[in-house]
Structure formats: structure tokens, C-alpha cells
Amino acid sequence: MKGYESYSGHVVESTPRARGGEKTREVIVETALRLFRERGYEATTMRAIAAEAGVSVGNAYYYFSSKEQLVQAYYDRAQTEHEAACRELLASERRFAERLSGVLRAWVKVSEPYHGFAVKFYKHASEPSNPLSPFSGESAPAREAAIGIYRQVVEGSADRIDAELRAELPELLWLSSMGMVLFWVHDTSPGCERTYRLIEVMVPLIDRLVGLSHLPGLRGVTRDFITAMRELRA
């Protein structure tokens, strides 16, 4: 019997065959992430992924046309896990600093299983022209979803924030989180303690700057900063 499920805002047919295809897709993703962690991104081939996943090479390419698409699947999965980890906090907490700190800490927690993998493939993701870059066109869906979380941080905050800065703040917070990600990639401390400490230091500074943005004496500086950001983005 056919059923229907909602997926990414669309209603799609749910059949045993479709569900089987989704299961195969997940097995391929899990296998690829494991091999990326164990062997490194460059040393892992699509043929090796297919063999470990128990599918034909053609079947692996049916679901993912390249290794880059598999990493994009990792981005999507990590983003979904991050959103779920933040849901309760964003529904109950109204203080800006606590919302931001909670979201950043949740990212580190859900990303912990992938830390070794991230260390091995980050040199590819850091290349501006590489499709694995978080700034690439291929990464746009995951990037926009991530900015969406910081938009929730800002819009659900009860703190007073300059109106114009409020509109730009989600993307600025995401950019600052990219700095945290770089720090996390190189963090060898037990349980990424240094990254958690970075969040403890970073969030109060951001909170203070955001809180000062609406003061008359600093509004001009805020406007100049926003104008510069818009020019750089263009």
C-alpha cells in the first residue's frame, strides 16, 4: 500500500521501494563517513565505499555522483542534528547570550563524532574554489540552514538590539561560528575543552557589542560597520 510523507516541505510518495532506497542511501553515507575517518578523504574511492557498503559501484553513483556529494550529505546530516539539539533551548530561553552560547555548544557536541573526519578533510573545505567549502554554491542549502539557526537566536531574543543590526546579525553570527569551527578542527584537548572555553570567552564579547549597538553614541559606528559588510558581500 502506498503512503505519503513530508520531506523538505514537499509531499512525496512513500512505498517499500522508496524506503528501501533511502535505507541504501543512508548505508552508503555511513560507510563513506567511516572510511573518510579511517583512511582519509583523498585515499577513499567510490569503489571502496561501494564495496564496504555492499552495493555495486553503479548503485553508489546512482545515489551520489561524487565523493563531494557524500560530504554534502554529511553537512546536511550534521545540520539536521544541530537543529534538533537546539530546539528545546530556543523554545525556552530568551536571553541572547544564553541562546547563542547554547547553539554553539550544541554544535560542538553533535559534531564530536566527526572530529577526526573533519581534521582530515578540512584542507579541502578550506579551498575557496572547492565545492566542499562552506562558502561554495554546492554548500548553499546547508549554509542557509545554518544561518537560519542564528536567525532564530536573534529573532527569539528578548534583548534590545539595533534594528538594522538585527537584520544582519544572523549571517555575522554564522561567520563568527566559522572561526570557532576552524579552532575546533585544530583542538586536540580532551573532549574539545578548549573549544568550549573559546565559546565562554567569545559569547560575552559578542553580547556586549550587540548590546551597545543601540546606544546613540555607537549607532554611527554600527551603521558604518553594516555598510562595510554589505559592500564586501556585493
Side-chain angles (χ1 to χ4, degrees), residues 92-103:
S92 59
E93 179 61 63
R94 289 291 172 261
R95 292 170 294 177
F96 173 77
E98 294 302 318
R99 290 169 71 83
L100 178 58
S101 177
V103 164

Side-chain angles (χ1 to χ4, degrees), residues 13-234:
E13 184 178 325
S14 175
T15 65
R17 181 177 179 180
R19 290 191 293 272
E22 183 59 27
K23 184 177 180 180
T24 299
R25 186 181 189 278
E26 287 300 308
V27 169
I28 294 172
V29 172
E30 289 286 353
T31 302
L33 294 181
R34 176 172 60 81
L35 292 180
F36 289 157
R37 290 194 299 268
E38 294 174 356
R39 305 180 184 181
Y41 178 76
E42 290 179 327
T44 302
T45 64
M46 288 293 286
R47 183 174 296 277
I49 293 169
E52 289 282 332
V55 302
S56 68
V57 176
N59 204 15
Y61 275 110
Y62 173 79
Y63 289 100
F64 301 96
S65 63
S66 65
K67 289 195 299 181
E68 286 81 5
Q69 281 200 351
L70 281 161
V71 176
Q72 294 299 336
Y74 154 68
Y75 286 163
D76 293 339
R77 171 181 294 190
Q79 185 59 40
T80 298
E81 292 176 358
H82 188 205
E83 289 173 358
C86 297
R87 193 169 295 128
E88 184 176 346
L89 168 77
L90 294 176
S92 59
E93 179 61 63
R94 289 291 172 261
R95 292 170 294 177
F96 173 77
E98 294 302 318
R99 290 169 71 83
L100 178 58
S101 177
V103 164
L104 293 173
R105 291 176 66 86
W107 186 92
V108 177
K109 184 175 182 179
V110 301
S111 299
E112 183 176 356
Y114 307 107
H115 190 252
F117 163 55
V119 170
K120 293 179 180 179
F121 94 97
Y122 187 79
K123 64 179 180 179
H124 300 282
S126 63
E127 297 172 0
S129 60
N130 196 300
L132 300 182
S133 167
F135 300 95
S136 71
E138 291 84 352
S139 299
R143 180 173 62 251
E144 290 303 319
I147 293 174
I149 290 183
Y150 293 104
R151 186 169 293 109
Q152 291 182 57
V153 169
V154 174
E155 292 179 351
S157 170
D159 291 31
R160 188 176 178 184
I161 303 174
D162 175 83
E164 194 169 359
L165 178 60
R166 182 180 286 268
E168 301 291 335
L169 196 52
E171 185 172 354
L172 293 174
L173 293 177
W174 175 76
L175 287 171
S176 68
S177 77
M178 289 295 95
M180 182 200 73
V181 170
L182 177 60
F183 187 92
W184 171 80
V185 166
H186 296 281
D187 186 0
T188 58
S189 63
C192 293
E193 293 175 355
R194 293 179 63 219
T195 301
Y196 285 112
R197 177 55 184 158
L198 174 65
I199 293 171
E200 292 178 1
V201 172
M202 181 173 71
V203 169
L205 293 175
I206 295 174
D207 182 46
R208 188 177 303 174
L209 290 171
V210 170
L212 293 172
S213 65
H214 69 276
L215 297 178
L218 292 176
R219 283 178 181 168
V221 176
T222 301
R223 296 294 182 277
D224 290 343
F225 175 73
I226 292 173
T227 298
M229 286 300 301
R230 288 172 176 170
E231 289 178 358
L232 291 171
R233 186 190 299 144

